[in-house]
Structure formats: structure tokens, C-alpha cells
PDB file of all heavy atoms in Angstrom:
ATOM      1  N   THR D   7     -20.270  -3.720 -16.880  1.00 98.00           N
ATOM      2  CA  THR D   7     -19.478  -3.043 -17.899  1.00 98.00           C
ATOM      3  C   THR D   7     -18.556  -4.016 -18.615  1.00 98.00           C
ATOM      4  O   THR D   7     -18.336  -5.141 -18.144  1.00 98.00           O
ATOM      5  CB  THR D   7     -18.656  -1.900 -17.273  1.00 98.00           C
ATOM      6  OG1 THR D   7     -18.036  -1.116 -18.300  1.00 98.00           O
ATOM      7  CG2 THR D   7     -17.569  -2.444 -16.363  1.00 98.00           C
ATOM      8  N   VAL D   8     -18.034  -3.581 -19.737  1.00 98.00           N
ATOM      9  CA  VAL D   8     -17.048  -4.361 -20.487  1.00 98.00           C
ATOM     10  C   VAL D   8     -15.659  -3.985 -19.981  1.00 98.00           C
ATOM     11  O   VAL D   8     -15.280  -2.812 -20.014  1.00 98.00           O
ATOM     12  CB  VAL D   8     -17.152  -4.082 -22.002  1.00 98.00           C
ATOM     13  CG1 VAL D   8     -16.047  -4.841 -22.750  1.00 98.00           C
ATOM     14  CG2 VAL D   8     -18.531  -4.481 -22.525  1.00 98.00           C
ATOM     15  N   HIS D   9     -14.943  -4.962 -19.486  1.00 97.00           N
ATOM     16  CA  HIS D   9     -13.599  -4.723 -18.945  1.00 97.00           C
ATOM     17  C   HIS D   9     -12.593  -4.650 -20.086  1.00 97.00           C
ATOM     18  O   HIS D   9     -12.420  -5.607 -20.838  1.00 97.00           O
ATOM     19  CB  HIS D   9     -13.211  -5.839 -17.984  1.00 97.00           C
ATOM     20  CG  HIS D   9     -11.824  -5.683 -17.428  1.00 97.00           C
ATOM     21  ND1 HIS D   9     -11.540  -4.825 -16.389  1.00 97.00           N
ATOM     22  CD2 HIS D   9     -10.650  -6.264 -17.778  1.00 97.00           C
ATOM     23  CE1 HIS D   9     -10.241  -4.886 -16.116  1.00 97.00           C
ATOM     24  NE2 HIS D   9      -9.681  -5.753 -16.952  1.00 97.00           N
ATOM     25  N   GLN D  10     -11.946  -3.497 -20.203  1.00 95.00           N
ATOM     26  CA  GLN D  10     -10.890  -3.312 -21.188  1.00 95.00           C
ATOM     27  C   GLN D  10      -9.548  -3.387 -20.444  1.00 95.00           C
ATOM     28  O   GLN D  10      -9.286  -2.581 -19.545  1.00 95.00           O
ATOM     29  CB  GLN D  10     -11.042  -1.949 -21.893  1.00 95.00           C
ATOM     30  CG  GLN D  10     -10.104  -1.794 -23.067  1.00 95.00           C
ATOM     31  CD  GLN D  10     -10.405  -0.565 -23.913  1.00 95.00           C
ATOM     32  OE1 GLN D  10      -9.743  -0.339 -24.899  1.00 95.00           O
ATOM     33  NE2 GLN D  10     -11.392   0.230 -23.544  1.00 95.00           N
ATOM     34  N   ASP D  11      -8.707  -4.342 -20.803  1.00 95.00           N
ATOM     35  CA  ASP D  11      -7.473  -4.602 -20.061  1.00 95.00           C
ATOM     36  C   ASP D  11      -6.379  -3.642 -20.516  1.00 95.00           C
ATOM     37  O   ASP D  11      -5.534  -3.969 -21.345  1.00 95.00           O
ATOM     38  CB  ASP D  11      -7.034  -6.054 -20.258  1.00 95.00           C
ATOM     39  CG  ASP D  11      -6.011  -6.489 -19.220  1.00 95.00           C
ATOM     40  OD1 ASP D  11      -5.376  -5.606 -18.623  1.00 95.00           O
ATOM     41  OD2 ASP D  11      -5.859  -7.705 -19.006  1.00 95.00           O
ATOM     42  N   PHE D  12      -6.404  -2.432 -19.950  1.00 95.00           N
ATOM     43  CA  PHE D  12      -5.439  -1.403 -20.346  1.00 95.00           C
ATOM     44  C   PHE D  12      -4.002  -1.817 -20.029  1.00 95.00           C
ATOM     45  O   PHE D  12      -3.083  -1.498 -20.785  1.00 95.00           O
ATOM     46  CB  PHE D  12      -5.767  -0.087 -19.650  1.00 95.00           C
ATOM     47  CG  PHE D  12      -7.113   0.472 -19.995  1.00 95.00           C
ATOM     48  CD1 PHE D  12      -8.126   0.540 -19.050  1.00 95.00           C
ATOM     49  CD2 PHE D  12      -7.377   0.927 -21.277  1.00 95.00           C
ATOM     50  CE1 PHE D  12      -9.374   1.052 -19.369  1.00 95.00           C
ATOM     51  CE2 PHE D  12      -8.628   1.438 -21.604  1.00 95.00           C
ATOM     52  CZ  PHE D  12      -9.623   1.505 -20.647  1.00 95.00           C
ATOM     53  N   ALA D  13      -3.808  -2.516 -18.919  1.00 95.00           N
ATOM     54  CA  ALA D  13      -2.458  -2.944 -18.561  1.00 95.00           C
ATOM     55  C   ALA D  13      -1.899  -3.904 -19.600  1.00 95.00           C
ATOM     56  O   ALA D  13      -0.727  -3.805 -19.997  1.00 95.00           O
ATOM     57  CB  ALA D  13      -2.469  -3.596 -17.177  1.00 95.00           C
ATOM     58  N   ALA D  14      -2.721  -4.846 -20.054  1.00 96.00           N
ATOM     59  CA  ALA D  14      -2.265  -5.800 -21.062  1.00 96.00           C
ATOM     60  C   ALA D  14      -1.995  -5.104 -22.394  1.00 96.00           C
ATOM     61  O   ALA D  14      -1.048  -5.452 -23.109  1.00 96.00           O
ATOM     62  CB  ALA D  14      -3.301  -6.905 -21.249  1.00 96.00           C
ATOM     63  N   ILE D  15      -2.816  -4.113 -22.736  1.00 96.00           N
ATOM     64  CA  ILE D  15      -2.591  -3.382 -23.985  1.00 96.00           C
ATOM     65  C   ILE D  15      -1.282  -2.606 -23.913  1.00 96.00           C
ATOM     66  O   ILE D  15      -0.444  -2.664 -24.829  1.00 96.00           O
ATOM     67  CB  ILE D  15      -3.769  -2.430 -24.272  1.00 96.00           C
ATOM     68  CG1 ILE D  15      -5.049  -3.222 -24.552  1.00 96.00           C
ATOM     69  CG2 ILE D  15      -3.454  -1.511 -25.463  1.00 96.00           C
ATOM     70  CD1 ILE D  15      -6.303  -2.382 -24.594  1.00 96.00           C
ATOM     71  N   GLY D  16      -1.078  -1.866 -22.808  1.00 95.00           N
ATOM     72  CA  GLY D  16       0.139  -1.068 -22.674  1.00 95.00           C
ATOM     73  C   GLY D  16       1.392  -1.909 -22.670  1.00 95.00           C
ATOM     74  O   GLY D  16       2.366  -1.617 -23.370  1.00 95.00           O
ATOM     75  N   SER D  17       1.386  -2.996 -21.866  1.00 95.00           N
ATOM     76  CA  SER D  17       2.570  -3.849 -21.825  1.00 95.00           C
ATOM     77  C   SER D  17       2.766  -4.571 -23.146  1.00 95.00           C
ATOM     78  O   SER D  17       3.901  -4.771 -23.607  1.00 95.00           O
ATOM     79  CB  SER D  17       2.470  -4.850 -20.677  1.00 95.00           C
ATOM     80  OG  SER D  17       1.347  -5.691 -20.831  1.00 95.00           O
ATOM     81  N   GLY D  18       1.668  -4.937 -23.809  1.00 95.00           N
ATOM     82  CA  GLY D  18       1.770  -5.584 -25.116  1.00 95.00           C
ATOM     83  C   GLY D  18       2.391  -4.677 -26.161  1.00 95.00           C
ATOM     84  O   GLY D  18       3.191  -5.116 -26.990  1.00 95.00           O
ATOM     85  N   LEU D  19       2.032  -3.400 -26.135  1.00 95.00           N
ATOM     86  CA  LEU D  19       2.618  -2.435 -27.075  1.00 95.00           C
ATOM     87  C   LEU D  19       4.136  -2.365 -26.905  1.00 95.00           C
ATOM     88  O   LEU D  19       4.886  -2.375 -27.886  1.00 95.00           O
ATOM     89  CB  LEU D  19       2.008  -1.049 -26.842  1.00 95.00           C
ATOM     90  CG  LEU D  19       0.580  -0.856 -27.346  1.00 95.00           C
ATOM     91  CD1 LEU D  19      -0.056   0.368 -26.687  1.00 95.00           C
ATOM     92  CD2 LEU D  19       0.551  -0.728 -28.859  1.00 95.00           C
ATOM     93  N   VAL D  20       4.593  -2.308 -25.660  1.00 95.00           N
ATOM     94  CA  VAL D  20       6.032  -2.225 -25.415  1.00 95.00           C
ATOM     95  C   VAL D  20       6.727  -3.508 -25.844  1.00 95.00           C
ATOM     96  O   VAL D  20       7.792  -3.479 -26.475  1.00 95.00           O
ATOM     97  CB  VAL D  20       6.320  -1.925 -23.933  1.00 95.00           C
ATOM     98  CG1 VAL D  20       7.823  -1.984 -23.652  1.00 95.00           C
ATOM     99  CG2 VAL D  20       5.771  -0.561 -23.554  1.00 95.00           C
ATOM    100  N   ARG D  21       6.120  -4.656 -25.562  1.00 93.00           N
ATOM    101  CA  ARG D  21       6.773  -5.916 -25.914  1.00 93.00           C
ATOM    102  C   ARG D  21       6.858  -6.094 -27.425  1.00 93.00           C
ATOM    103  O   ARG D  21       7.853  -6.610 -27.939  1.00 93.00           O
ATOM    104  CB  ARG D  21       6.044  -7.086 -25.260  1.00 93.00           C
ATOM    105  CG  ARG D  21       6.121  -7.053 -23.731  1.00 93.00           C
ATOM    106  CD  ARG D  21       5.876  -8.404 -23.119  1.00 93.00           C
ATOM    107  NE  ARG D  21       4.624  -9.003 -23.534  1.00 93.00           N
ATOM    108  CZ  ARG D  21       3.456  -8.727 -22.989  1.00 93.00           C
ATOM    109  NH1 ARG D  21       3.355  -7.827 -22.041  1.00 93.00           N
ATOM    110  NH2 ARG D  21       2.371  -9.346 -23.405  1.00 93.00           N
ATOM    111  N   VAL D  22       5.824  -5.672 -28.152  1.00 93.00           N
ATOM    112  CA  VAL D  22       5.893  -5.733 -29.619  1.00 93.00           C
ATOM    113  C   VAL D  22       7.017  -4.824 -30.124  1.00 93.00           C
ATOM    114  O   VAL D  22       7.792  -5.198 -31.011  1.00 93.00           O
ATOM    115  CB  VAL D  22       4.544  -5.331 -30.245  1.00 93.00           C
ATOM    116  CG1 VAL D  22       4.687  -5.134 -31.751  1.00 93.00           C
ATOM    117  CG2 VAL D  22       3.490  -6.396 -29.960  1.00 93.00           C
ATOM    118  N   LEU D  23       7.112  -3.635 -29.542  1.00 93.00           N
ATOM    119  CA  LEU D  23       8.168  -2.706 -29.951  1.00 93.00           C
ATOM    120  C   LEU D  23       9.551  -3.287 -29.647  1.00 93.00           C
ATOM    121  O   LEU D  23      10.473  -3.197 -30.470  1.00 93.00           O
ATOM    122  CB  LEU D  23       7.985  -1.370 -29.239  1.00 93.00           C
ATOM    123  CG  LEU D  23       8.956  -0.248 -29.637  1.00 93.00           C
ATOM    124  CD1 LEU D  23       8.833   0.080 -31.117  1.00 93.00           C
ATOM    125  CD2 LEU D  23       8.697   0.997 -28.803  1.00 93.00           C
ATOM    126  N   LEU D  24       9.712  -3.910 -28.489  1.00 90.00           N
ATOM    127  CA  LEU D  24      11.009  -4.477 -28.131  1.00 90.00           C
ATOM    128  C   LEU D  24      11.401  -5.617 -29.057  1.00 90.00           C
ATOM    129  O   LEU D  24      12.583  -5.788 -29.376  1.00 90.00           O
ATOM    130  CB  LEU D  24      10.984  -4.967 -26.682  1.00 90.00           C
ATOM    131  CG  LEU D  24      10.884  -3.878 -25.610  1.00 90.00           C
ATOM    132  CD1 LEU D  24      10.839  -4.496 -24.226  1.00 90.00           C
ATOM    133  CD2 LEU D  24      12.035  -2.897 -25.718  1.00 90.00           C
ATOM    134  N   HIS D  25      10.430  -6.388 -29.516  1.00 87.00           N
ATOM    135  CA  HIS D  25      10.735  -7.436 -30.482  1.00 87.00           C
ATOM    136  C   HIS D  25      11.216  -6.835 -31.803  1.00 87.00           C
ATOM    137  O   HIS D  25      12.050  -7.421 -32.491  1.00 87.00           O
ATOM    138  CB  HIS D  25       9.517  -8.329 -30.711  1.00 87.00           C
ATOM    139  CG  HIS D  25       9.410  -9.456 -29.726  1.00 87.00           C
ATOM    140  ND1 HIS D  25      10.014 -10.677 -29.920  1.00 87.00           N
ATOM    141  CD2 HIS D  25       8.808  -9.540 -28.525  1.00 87.00           C
ATOM    142  CE1 HIS D  25       9.758 -11.460 -28.883  1.00 87.00           C
ATOM    143  NE2 HIS D  25       9.025 -10.782 -28.028  1.00 87.00           N
ATOM    144  N   ARG D  26      10.697  -5.680 -32.157  1.00 86.00           N
ATOM    145  CA  ARG D  26      11.170  -5.019 -33.372  1.00 86.00           C
ATOM    146  C   ARG D  26      12.578  -4.469 -33.181  1.00 86.00           C
ATOM    147  O   ARG D  26      13.341  -4.363 -34.131  1.00 86.00           O
ATOM    148  CB  ARG D  26      10.219  -3.877 -33.750  1.00 86.00           C
ATOM    149  CG  ARG D  26       8.803  -4.322 -34.078  1.00 86.00           C
ATOM    150  CD  ARG D  26       8.049  -3.219 -34.805  1.00 86.00           C
ATOM    151  NE  ARG D  26       8.631  -3.001 -36.122  1.00 86.00           N
ATOM    152  CZ  ARG D  26       8.420  -1.903 -36.850  1.00 86.00           C
ATOM    153  NH1 ARG D  26       7.679  -0.932 -36.360  1.00 86.00           N
ATOM    154  NH2 ARG D  26       8.959  -1.777 -38.035  1.00 86.00           N
ATOM    155  N   LEU D  27      12.906  -4.097 -31.953  1.00 84.00           N
ATOM    156  CA  LEU D  27      14.233  -3.548 -31.674  1.00 84.00           C
ATOM    157  C   LEU D  27      15.290  -4.628 -31.486  1.00 84.00           C
ATOM    158  O   LEU D  27      16.478  -4.363 -31.674  1.00 84.00           O
ATOM    159  CB  LEU D  27      14.182  -2.697 -30.398  1.00 84.00           C
ATOM    160  CG  LEU D  27      13.309  -1.447 -30.440  1.00 84.00           C
ATOM    161  CD1 LEU D  27      13.282  -0.780 -29.073  1.00 84.00           C
ATOM    162  CD2 LEU D  27      13.820  -0.473 -31.494  1.00 84.00           C
ATOM    163  N   ALA D  28      14.872  -5.848 -31.104  1.00 74.00           N
ATOM    164  CA  ALA D  28      15.838  -6.908 -30.812  1.00 74.00           C
ATOM    165  C   ALA D  28      16.564  -7.305 -32.075  1.00 74.00           C
ATOM    166  O   ALA D  28      15.968  -7.418 -33.151  1.00 74.00           O
ATOM    167  CB  ALA D  28      15.118  -8.114 -30.215  1.00 74.00           C
ATOM    168  N   PRO D  29      17.896  -7.515 -32.002  1.00 57.00           N
ATOM    169  CA  PRO D  29      18.650  -7.950 -33.177  1.00 57.00           C
ATOM    170  C   PRO D  29      18.194  -9.327 -33.614  1.00 57.00           C
ATOM    171  O   PRO D  29      17.925 -10.192 -32.786  1.00 57.00           O
ATOM    172  CB  PRO D  29      20.095  -7.973 -32.681  1.00 57.00           C
ATOM    173  CG  PRO D  29      19.991  -8.106 -31.199  1.00 57.00           C
ATOM    174  CD  PRO D  29      18.731  -7.383 -30.807  1.00 57.00           C
ATOM    175  N   SER D  30      18.099  -9.547 -34.926  1.00 46.00           N
ATOM    176  CA  SER D  30      17.653 -10.836 -35.446  1.00 46.00           C
ATOM    177  C   SER D  30      18.796 -11.842 -35.386  1.00 46.00           C
ATOM    178  O   SER D  30      19.966 -11.493 -35.405  1.00 46.00           O
ATOM    179  CB  SER D  30      17.175 -10.686 -36.898  1.00 46.00           C
ATOM    180  OG  SER D  30      18.216 -10.167 -37.706  1.00 46.00           O
ATOM    181  N   GLY D  31      18.394 -13.089 -35.322  1.00 34.00           N
ATOM    182  CA  GLY D  31      19.383 -14.147 -35.355  1.00 34.00           C
ATOM    183  C   GLY D  31      20.220 -14.246 -34.104  1.00 34.00           C
ATOM    184  O   GLY D  31      21.353 -14.729 -34.153  1.00 34.00           O
ATOM    185  N   ASP D  32      19.745 -13.820 -32.977  1.00 39.00           N
ATOM    186  CA  ASP D  32      20.504 -13.853 -31.723  1.00 39.00           C
ATOM    187  C   ASP D  32      19.809 -14.803 -30.764  1.00 39.00           C
ATOM    188  O   ASP D  32      18.893 -14.409 -30.046  1.00 39.00           O
ATOM    189  CB  ASP D  32      20.577 -12.448 -31.126  1.00 39.00           C
ATOM    190  CG  ASP D  32      21.590 -12.364 -30.002  1.00 39.00           C
ATOM    191  OD1 ASP D  32      21.749 -13.370 -29.285  1.00 39.00           O
ATOM    192  OD2 ASP D  32      22.220 -11.297 -29.854  1.00 39.00           O
ATOM    193  N   PRO D  33      20.134 -16.097 -30.760  1.00 35.00           N
ATOM    194  CA  PRO D  33      19.375 -17.093 -30.005  1.00 35.00           C
ATOM    195  C   PRO D  33      19.303 -16.800 -28.518  1.00 35.00           C
ATOM    196  O   PRO D  33      18.243 -16.931 -27.910  1.00 35.00           O
ATOM    197  CB  PRO D  33      20.139 -18.401 -30.268  1.00 35.00           C
ATOM    198  CG  PRO D  33      20.936 -18.149 -31.510  1.00 35.00           C
ATOM    199  CD  PRO D  33      21.270 -16.681 -31.484  1.00 35.00           C
ATOM    200  N   SER D  34      20.407 -16.367 -27.908  1.00 37.00           N
ATOM    201  CA  SER D  34      20.373 -16.159 -26.457  1.00 37.00           C
ATOM    202  C   SER D  34      19.455 -15.024 -26.095  1.00 37.00           C
ATOM    203  O   SER D  34      18.716 -15.085 -25.109  1.00 37.00           O
ATOM    204  CB  SER D  34      21.788 -15.879 -25.934  1.00 37.00           C
ATOM    205  OG  SER D  34      22.310 -14.697 -26.524  1.00 37.00           O
ATOM    206  N   ASP D  35      19.463 -13.958 -26.895  1.00 38.00           N
ATOM    207  CA  ASP D  35      18.580 -12.832 -26.606  1.00 38.00           C
ATOM    208  C   ASP D  35      17.126 -13.221 -26.833  1.00 38.00           C
ATOM    209  O   ASP D  35      16.245 -12.855 -26.078  1.00 38.00           O
ATOM    210  CB  ASP D  35      18.947 -11.640 -27.483  1.00 38.00           C
ATOM    211  CG  ASP D  35      18.149 -10.416 -27.127  1.00 38.00           C
ATOM    212  OD1 ASP D  35      18.335  -9.908 -26.009  1.00 38.00           O
ATOM    213  OD2 ASP D  35      17.347  -9.981 -27.957  1.00 38.00           O
ATOM    214  N   ALA D  36      16.883 -13.985 -27.893  1.00 35.00           N
ATOM    215  CA  ALA D  36      15.511 -14.417 -28.183  1.00 35.00           C
ATOM    216  C   ALA D  36      14.973 -15.273 -27.048  1.00 35.00           C
ATOM    217  O   ALA D  36      13.812 -15.172 -26.665  1.00 35.00           O
ATOM    218  CB  ALA D  36      15.476 -15.197 -29.497  1.00 35.00           C
ATOM    219  N   ASP D  37      15.845 -16.133 -26.458  1.00 37.00           N
ATOM    220  CA  ASP D  37      15.397 -16.967 -25.354  1.00 37.00           C
ATOM    221  C   ASP D  37      14.986 -16.121 -24.163  1.00 37.00           C
ATOM    222  O   ASP D  37      13.965 -16.366 -23.529  1.00 37.00           O
ATOM    223  CB  ASP D  37      16.518 -17.921 -24.926  1.00 37.00           C
ATOM    224  CG  ASP D  37      16.711 -19.044 -25.932  1.00 37.00           C
ATOM    225  OD1 ASP D  37      15.800 -19.228 -26.760  1.00 37.00           O
ATOM    226  OD2 ASP D  37      17.760 -19.706 -25.888  1.00 37.00           O
ATOM    227  N   ASP D  38      15.791 -15.089 -23.831  1.00 41.00           N
ATOM    228  CA  ASP D  38      15.455 -14.231 -22.699  1.00 41.00           C
ATOM    229  C   ASP D  38      14.137 -13.516 -22.934  1.00 41.00           C
ATOM    230  O   ASP D  38      13.302 -13.411 -22.047  1.00 41.00           O
ATOM    231  CB  ASP D  38      16.560 -13.195 -22.465  1.00 41.00           C
ATOM    232  CG  ASP D  38      17.718 -13.792 -21.658  1.00 41.00           C
ATOM    233  OD1 ASP D  38      17.490 -14.787 -20.946  1.00 41.00           O
ATOM    234  OD2 ASP D  38      18.826 -13.252 -21.762  1.00 41.00           O
ATOM    235  N   MET D  39      13.919 -12.981 -24.145  1.00 36.00           N
ATOM    236  CA  MET D  39      12.690 -12.247 -24.439  1.00 36.00           C
ATOM    237  C   MET D  39      11.493 -13.172 -24.413  1.00 36.00           C
ATOM    238  O   MET D  39      10.422 -12.814 -23.947  1.00 36.00           O
ATOM    239  CB  MET D  39      12.804 -11.563 -25.810  1.00 36.00           C
ATOM    240  CG  MET D  39      13.787 -10.402 -25.831  1.00 36.00           C
ATOM    241  SD  MET D  39      13.328  -9.112 -24.655  1.00 36.00           S
ATOM    242  CE  MET D  39      11.814  -8.545 -25.409  1.00 36.00           C
ATOM    243  N   ALA D  40      11.669 -14.413 -24.923  1.00 35.00           N
ATOM    244  CA  ALA D  40      10.550 -15.353 -24.928  1.00 35.00           C
ATOM    245  C   ALA D  40      10.142 -15.698 -23.513  1.00 35.00           C
ATOM    246  O   ALA D  40       8.955 -15.762 -23.185  1.00 35.00           O
ATOM    247  CB  ALA D  40      10.933 -16.620 -25.689  1.00 35.00           C
ATOM    248  N   GLY D  41      11.117 -15.906 -22.630  1.00 37.00           N
ATOM    249  CA  GLY D  41      10.797 -16.198 -21.243  1.00 37.00           C
ATOM    250  C   GLY D  41      10.073 -15.056 -20.595  1.00 37.00           C
ATOM    251  O   GLY D  41       9.130 -15.238 -19.833  1.00 37.00           O
ATOM    252  N   ASP D  42      10.493 -13.818 -20.911  1.00 39.00           N
ATOM    253  CA  ASP D  42       9.836 -12.646 -20.341  1.00 39.00           C
ATOM    254  C   ASP D  42       8.416 -12.517 -20.854  1.00 39.00           C
ATOM    255  O   ASP D  42       7.503 -12.194 -20.116  1.00 39.00           O
ATOM    256  CB  ASP D  42      10.640 -11.394 -20.706  1.00 39.00           C
ATOM    257  CG  ASP D  42      10.041 -10.146 -20.084  1.00 39.00           C
ATOM    258  OD1 ASP D  42       9.899 -10.113 -18.864  1.00 39.00           O
ATOM    259  OD2 ASP D  42       9.729  -9.224 -20.851  1.00 39.00           O
ATOM    260  N   ASP D  43       8.198 -12.807 -22.162  1.00 37.00           N
ATOM    261  CA  ASP D  43       6.852 -12.731 -22.704  1.00 37.00           C
ATOM    262  C   ASP D  43       5.927 -13.716 -22.024  1.00 37.00           C
ATOM    263  O   ASP D  43       4.773 -13.422 -21.760  1.00 37.00           O
ATOM    264  CB  ASP D  43       6.878 -13.038 -24.210  1.00 37.00           C
ATOM    265  CG  ASP D  43       7.104 -11.789 -25.034  1.00 37.00           C
ATOM    266  OD1 ASP D  43       6.863 -10.698 -24.492  1.00 37.00           O
ATOM    267  OD2 ASP D  43       7.522 -11.911 -26.183  1.00 37.00           O
ATOM    268  N   ALA D  44       6.437 -14.932 -21.734  1.00 33.00           N
ATOM    269  CA  ALA D  44       5.601 -15.928 -21.085  1.00 33.00           C
ATOM    270  C   ALA D  44       5.173 -15.441 -19.707  1.00 33.00           C
ATOM    271  O   ALA D  44       4.021 -15.613 -19.303  1.00 33.00           O
ATOM    272  CB  ALA D  44       6.369 -17.244 -20.963  1.00 33.00           C
ATOM    273  N   THR D  45       6.093 -14.798 -18.991  1.00 32.00           N
ATOM    274  CA  THR D  45       5.763 -14.261 -17.671  1.00 32.00           C
ATOM    275  C   THR D  45       4.688 -13.197 -17.779  1.00 32.00           C
ATOM    276  O   THR D  45       3.712 -13.193 -17.034  1.00 32.00           O
ATOM    277  CB  THR D  45       7.015 -13.653 -17.019  1.00 32.00           C
ATOM    278  OG1 THR D  45       7.982 -14.688 -16.874  1.00 32.00           O
ATOM    279  CG2 THR D  45       6.685 -13.088 -15.648  1.00 32.00           C
ATOM    280  N   HIS D  46       4.856 -12.275 -18.737  1.00 35.00           N
ATOM    281  CA  HIS D  46       3.872 -11.208 -18.900  1.00 35.00           C
ATOM    282  C   HIS D  46       2.528 -11.762 -19.335  1.00 35.00           C
ATOM    283  O   HIS D  46       1.479 -11.292 -18.900  1.00 35.00           O
ATOM    284  CB  HIS D  46       4.371 -10.190 -19.922  1.00 35.00           C
ATOM    285  CG  HIS D  46       5.310  -9.181 -19.347  1.00 35.00           C
ATOM    286  ND1 HIS D  46       4.888  -8.158 -18.541  1.00 35.00           N
ATOM    287  CD2 HIS D  46       6.663  -9.059 -19.445  1.00 35.00           C
ATOM    288  CE1 HIS D  46       5.923  -7.420 -18.171  1.00 35.00           C
ATOM    289  NE2 HIS D  46       7.009  -7.955 -18.701  1.00 35.00           N
ATOM    290  N   ALA D  47       2.526 -12.741 -20.242  1.00 33.00           N
ATOM    291  CA  ALA D  47       1.265 -13.293 -20.729  1.00 33.00           C
ATOM    292  C   ALA D  47       0.483 -13.916 -19.586  1.00 33.00           C
ATOM    293  O   ALA D  47      -0.729 -13.762 -19.491  1.00 33.00           O
ATOM    294  CB  ALA D  47       1.530 -14.337 -21.820  1.00 33.00           C
ATOM    295  N   GLU D  48       1.187 -14.611 -18.692  1.00 33.00           N
ATOM    296  CA  GLU D  48       0.508 -15.202 -17.535  1.00 33.00           C
ATOM    297  C   GLU D  48      -0.022 -14.115 -16.621  1.00 33.00           C
ATOM    298  O   GLU D  48      -1.152 -14.172 -16.158  1.00 33.00           O
ATOM    299  CB  GLU D  48       1.490 -16.096 -16.782  1.00 33.00           C
ATOM    300  CG  GLU D  48       0.863 -16.792 -15.578  1.00 33.00           C
ATOM    301  CD  GLU D  48       1.838 -17.700 -14.874  1.00 33.00           C
ATOM    302  OE1 GLU D  48       2.960 -17.882 -15.382  1.00 33.00           O
ATOM    303  OE2 GLU D  48       1.490 -18.206 -13.800  1.00 33.00           O
TER     304      GLU D  48
END
């Protein structure tokens, strides 16, 4: 069968939404979110 990664899709949807919610121009917050994205991507 073709494996559809539902977990990656679901978590990806939330992370995209959180990036839209994050205030722009906030370096410390962006650093925390980027680190979290790297963990999730792995």
C-alpha cells in the first residue's frame, strides 16, 4: 500500500497555523518556533 503520513500532515497543519499566529519581527519567539519545527521535522 501507499503510506500516507497522517501524523506529519496533522502536525504540519498546526505548525503552519502557529506560524501565522506568531507575532512578526520577534526574534526570540522565532528562534523557539524554529527549534521546535526542526524537532518535529526529524
Side-chain angles (χ1 to χ4, degrees):
T7 188
V8 176
H9 178 80
Q10 189 170 181
D11 196 340
F12 298 112
I15 294 169
S17 61
L19 286 162
V20 174
R21 295 201 305 277
V22 169
L23 184 60
L24 292 179
H25 273 272
R26 298 196 67 197
L27 296 176
S30 58
D32 192 327
S34 61
D35 185 66
D37 286 344
D38 278 337
M39 290 300 293
D42 183 57
D43 271 340
T45 299
H46 277 286
E48 182 178 354

